[in-house]
Structures are given as structure tokens and as C-alpha cells.
Amino acid sequence: MVLDIETGRVLAARRLNEAARTMAAPGSTLKPLVLYSLVTEGRWNPERRVACTRELTLAGHRLACTHPPAPPFDAREALAWSCNSYFAEVARTLQPGELGHMLRTTGLLGVTGLAPGEAVAEFREPTGSDAAQLALLGVEGVRVTPLELTAAYRWLALEMAAHPDSLAAQVVSDGLQDSAGFGMARQASQGGVSVAGKTGTAEGTSPSQTHGWFLGIAPAQNPKAVIAVYLPAGRGADAARVAAVLLAHAPLDHAPLEQR
């Protein structure tokens, strides 16, 4: 899906009705949404560094990081490399009921109006530390539609545009640009359009199958559209490659979309 940020209008979509009824675990796509909210509220210091051994297991879920070995990450670096250990630490600061409130504020957990007959997210408010970590990492306790994630990233784009000098906007914007530039979503930059974006990978109906997400804002320096890709079988990197193809054919770098 390609969604106009200013108007909320769907500019292009494939299998829109199917996307409206599809629900899946969002994986790491929730990380920038929660980080933005916590930094905005002064609840998380983005300069804080968290070490990562690239090994993380929570309640039987093996959530090993695939980023290269690195010194302890700050928030911008952790977002670029989608560090699960970092965001598990972030999740430990959440109070009961807080995650659901944050996600609802973005529009993630409700009807978007982007298509008729759309499903609504399933969300179970976490009641303990492990559950909060798994929910923020998009693994357990939350299932959303591609439309809801697209709407949430539009919210994020509008928030960052309204408060460009805020610490939260600078950290999240820089982290998403780094992600698409050289980090976990770097395949998205192959379309020749500057983009800020995030990948996500989560288990499908069986542990042997994963589905992949890419959510991006483009062009990065003058955002006009949200680019959303969901692959029912694949990984986030695969979704980023599809996004690159979309971006290569989208007239986003120069005139506003409605003038092209």
C-alpha cells in the first residue's frame, strides 16, 4: 500500500480487501512507535546504551539478533539494527496498561477506514515483564492488519513533521533513515528514493514459517507517503526488497504526488 501522508488517501494498493482482513504479528515494526512515545514523554533517555550479546530468549521464544557484533547501542543505533535486547530493556519500563494506550494513540488498534469490512487488531494487555517484552517486540499478544500498521506510520510521520526539532523526532527519524540506509532495512534503499523505514519478521501459523513487513516513509527528508509491504511468507528483508521496487516506480522525489 502507498498512503498519502497529508490526506490519508490510498494512492496505490494491491489486494486491498485481502489486506483489510489479514491479521498477523507485527514483529519489530512496533519499535519506532513505542520509542517515539516514550522519548516524547521523557520516559526513556535515547542516549542510554544497552549491550547486546545477540542472544535473547523470552518465555520459550528465541529472539536472537541478526545484526553484526557491536558495542552497546544507543536508541538511534538500536533502531537502525533492530536490536531485540535493547527494546526488551525498553519494554521493562512500561507500566500496566501503558502499551495498549500508546498503540491506540497511533491508530494501530482500531478501524482505519481505508477499506470496507476491515478486521480490527487483537491485543492482549501484558500483565508481566516477559509479556510486555514479547508484545513490544511484536511476537505475542498482538495481531494487526497491514492497514492498521500503515495508519500508525502515517501518525508517526505526521507527529515527526509537527515536532521536527524534538528529541523524539530526531532520534526516530535518524534511526529509521539509518535502518534503510545501511541497517536492517537497507534493501529498501535500492529503489533510488530516499526512505526512512523499518522491517519486521514474525512467526506465521507455524514456527517454520515467517511473514515479513516493511513500513517506510518517503522521501526521507520531505515525506509524502507511507509505503507498506506485507508478505505472508518471507522475512522483513524480503519485504524491503519489494518496497524498493515500488519506490523505483513512484514519483516521490520531486513534485508532490498530486502534481505528477
Side-chain angles (χ1 to χ4, degrees):
M1 174 181 288
V2 182
L3 187 71
D4 184 89
I5 291 172
E6 182 178 358
T7 66
R9 182 167 56 96
V10 176
L11 300 174
R14 184 166 186 258
R15 297 183 179 177
L16 181 60
N17 290 334
E18 185 178 341
R21 298 188 299 270
T22 296
M23 289 198 296
S28 293
T29 60
L30 300 187
K31 292 173 180 175
L33 302 173
V34 176
L35 180 64
Y36 182 88
S37 295
L38 286 174
V39 175
T40 295
E41 296 172 7
R43 294 278 312 283
W44 182 265
N45 178 4
E47 296 182 358
R48 178 179 173 182
R49 292 187 173 272
V50 175
C52 179
T53 64
R54 298 191 296 166
E55 294 293 334
L56 178 66
T57 300
L58 289 171
H61 294 271
R62 187 173 181 272
L63 302 168
C65 288
T66 58
H67 59 70
F73 287 134
D74 64 13
R76 175 178 176 174
E77 295 162 343
L79 197 53
W81 292 107
S82 198
C83 179
N84 287 337
S85 294
Y86 185 97
F87 283 94
E89 188 67 24
V90 171
R92 293 187 184 102
T93 70
L94 295 173
Q95 302 298 316
E98 190 171 25
L99 181 59
H101 173 72
M102 286 182 178
L103 297 181
R104 289 185 187 94
T105 298
T106 72
L108 182 67
L109 303 182
V111 174
T112 68
L114 295 174
E118 59 181 303
V120 179
E122 297 174 353
F123 179 73
R124 183 173 66 250
E125 192 71 60
T127 56
S129 179
D130 282 1
Q133 292 171 74
L134 289 171
L136 193 159
L137 296 175
V139 174
E140 198 172 84
V142 56
R143 296 170 73 233
V144 300
T145 69
L147 275 61
E148 288 171 314
L149 263 182
T150 305
Y153 271 71
R154 178 183 177 236
W155 172 89
L156 180 61
L158 290 170
E159 280 287 314
M160 294 193 295
H163 309 284
D165 297 324
S166 70
L167 181 58
Q170 291 173 0
V171 168
V172 172
S173 178
D174 288 347
L176 292 177
Q177 289 182 62
D178 290 348
S179 177
F182 59 80
M184 299 303 286
R186 58 189 176 276
Q187 292 87 353
S189 65
Q190 296 171 0
V193 176
S194 62
V195 59
K198 185 76 191 68
T199 55
T201 302
E203 289 183 359
T205 54
S206 68
S208 62
Q209 178 180 319
T210 60
H211 55 261
W213 299 93
F214 174 81
L215 275 296
I217 301 165
Q221 298 301 327
N222 183 26
K224 298 184 180 76
V226 175
I227 312 295
V229 177
Y230 169 74
L231 298 179
R235 302 185 65 81
D238 303 316
R241 291 189 191 95
V242 174
V245 176
L246 294 176
L247 288 164
H249 294 87
L252 294 173
D253 257 348
H254 302 293
L257 285 172
E258 53 269 23
Q259 297 178 13
R260 301 286 293 198

